[in-house]
Amino acid sequence: MAQVWSPQSWRSKPISQVPGYPDPAALSAVEARLATHPPLVFAGEARNLMGALAQAAEGKAFLLQGGDCAESFAEFSANNIRDTFCVFLSMATVLTFAADVPVVKIGRIAGQFAKPRSDDNETRGGVTLPSYRGDIINGEEFEPAARKPDPARMLSAYYQAAATANLVRAFASGGYADLSRAQHWYLDDHHHPDLSNRYKAVVSRIDDGIGFMKAFRLQDAINPRTSAVDFYFSHEALLLPYEEALTRRDSISGDWYDTSAHMIWIGDRTREPANAHVEFCRGVKNPIGLKCGPSMSEDDLLKLIAILNPDNIPGRLTLICRFGADKVAEKLPRLIRAVKKDGRKVVWSCDPMHGNTIKSASGVKTRPFERILKEVKTFFELHRAEGTHAGGVHLEMTGQNVTECLGGAQAISEDDLSRQYDTRCDPRLNASQALELAFLTAELMDAQKKKDSRLSA
């Protein structure tokens, strides 16, 4: 029988990837203050997302999840938020047009501040300091004062998340996301004009379709579908004191929801079934993501699914697969077969970023775009072979013209990496690379749609 759950029950479990706060009283004071703050999202919104993800689990929708590797206090600006939102809109337009299914849009935004690390400490020049774990915990500068975990940073993260969420909601519902503006969403037409022209051709065909419908006086039916979008927020539930402080009991259902985001996920380093992160996530009713890497066994996965989604509710659990282009064909099929045999209803999503990180010749982390494309393509091929649904993609990306991933539409080379390498942690796709990936994914979705049509004929 499962242990009785409460928002605090994770505290009795083993835990990893946690900072060592030097002042427990200061930490408790911040937690108490956060617990009085308004929720960042609402339970009803999380339930709506659950319903949308249930459609993705059945192949009737597609999940597009992405955003910053780690949000930054220093880079916080309305323009950066807008540009990332534009990348989402342009990608979703391409995907929706190709597959003729709704795209569920979830940002790694308004809360993605904490990052797991391979080592607790970092050494430079004989000096050892705590590792940088994201702006919600400590500073990136390699000096003792900055690397000291500071609980007050949780309050700064909360206020930035609230401001970000407010602006994104305004963009999503205030006219900026109207399909009549679609030609303006893709902002990087000078680096790869062929890609820009391909996007504009899609937008032109959509405009023709809308114009055709309006000609039949169906404008009132069209406007609600084309003038606004549903957009959701997500992050890794890594810093559990922050997550607990923002967990609230829903006044309608009586269930507990983590109101820091609509969806939270468990990382590959914190997915031990008996540990704190799994304990916390099993009790909140938000949609949950679970990162699945090469070390995941069939038994481990089925055990975690049983803990996190014992009632087998569609849309509750998204399996975010991060194997790497060279391992996905070997490692993923056995997991697909185990889940399918057990009758579990999940969304299968491909994270082609984390398994394809390498060191460049200059020593910085990067990701070859061709490996990212290869993993996405293999992911779709494997699901097609197994008779299951490739339900989504999970990306680290930005609307900025960064040069962090090799290759892509701009043919970024080793020499280009230093030109605009801005990430606080892991390399991100820029706008051109993200849109190029959307077109490839759209082709894969279209091929699947045609196959399904043939089978049902």
Side-chain angles (χ1 to χ4, degrees), residues 10-273:
W10 64 269
R11 294 180 182 269
S12 65
K13 303 290 184 178
I15 192 168
S16 59
Q17 295 291 333
V18 292
Y21 287 107
D23 187 345
L27 173 61
S28 296
V30 168
E31 291 174 321
R33 187 173 174 188
L34 276 172
T36 68
H37 284 27
L40 294 172
V41 303
F42 300 104
E45 295 172 332
R47 285 192 288 269
N48 290 342
L49 175 57
M50 188 97 74
L53 289 172
Q55 295 295 300
E58 296 180 7
K60 298 177 182 178
F62 190 79
L63 168 61
L64 174 60
Q65 186 172 12
D68 252 320
C69 160
E71 291 178 273
S72 161
F73 293 168
E75 295 177 3
F76 174 55
S77 75
N79 286 346
N80 285 348
I81 296 166
R82 177 205 62 204
D83 292 349
T84 297
F85 186 66
C86 282
V87 173
F88 256 99
L89 294 177
S90 58
M91 293 177 73
T93 299
V94 169
L95 295 171
T96 303
F97 181 78
D100 196 27
V101 295
V103 172
V104 184
K105 294 168 279 294
I106 308 179
R108 290 172 56 112
I109 195 171
Q112 179 55 17
F113 292 104
K115 292 295 293 181
R117 304 314 302 250
S118 301
D119 298 303
D120 290 338
N121 298 303
E122 179 183 0
T123 300
R124 297 185 194 176
V127 177
T128 299
L129 295 175
S131 293
Y132 170 62
R133 291 184 174 274
D135 281 3
I136 195 171
I137 294 170
N138 57 3
E140 187 179 24
E141 301 81 5
F142 193 77
E143 51 189 50
R147 291 298 176 90
K148 178 181 175 182
D150 179 4
R153 286 175 167 267
M154 285 193 276
L155 293 169
S156 298
Y158 171 88
Y159 297 131
Q160 180 169 321
T164 299
N166 285 341
L167 183 59
V168 171
R169 284 184 168 113
F171 284 143
S173 62
Y176 195 87
D178 193 299
L179 263 178
S180 64
R181 294 185 49 84
Q183 61 180 316
H184 304 293
W185 293 338
Y186 180 60
L187 307 173
D188 191 20
D189 56 357
H190 56 289
H191 286 104
H192 199 293
D194 291 343
L195 189 63
S196 176
N197 290 336
R198 191 178 179 189
Y199 172 71
K200 290 175 181 176
V202 169
V203 172
S204 178
R205 293 181 65 183
I206 292 172
D207 286 343
D208 289 345
I210 293 175
F212 178 81
M213 296 294 285
K214 288 180 177 178
F216 285 87
R217 301 183 184 278
L218 295 174
Q219 186 163 345
D220 289 343
I222 295 171
N223 282 348
R225 297 281 186 174
T226 62
S227 62
V229 297
D230 293 324
F231 194 92
Y232 301 97
F233 308 115
S234 70
H235 62 256
E236 182 176 356
L238 191 63
L239 187 59
L240 293 185
Y242 179 80
E243 306 301 333
E244 178 192 329
L246 288 171
T247 299
R248 308 281 192 268
R249 190 186 289 275
D250 176 35
S251 60
I252 296 174
S253 66
D255 293 325
W256 290 99
Y257 283 84
D258 182 350
T259 66
S260 70
H262 298 106
M263 176 185 184
I264 53 176
W265 73 82
I266 302 168
D268 201 46
R269 295 185 178 99
T270 55
R271 57 171 171 77
E272 287 297 321

Side-chain angles (χ1 to χ4, degrees), residues 7 82 108 226 278 338 375 377 387 417:
R82 177 205 62 204
R108 290 172 56 112
T226 62
V278 172
E375 183 160 358
K377 185 176 180 181
L417 291 177

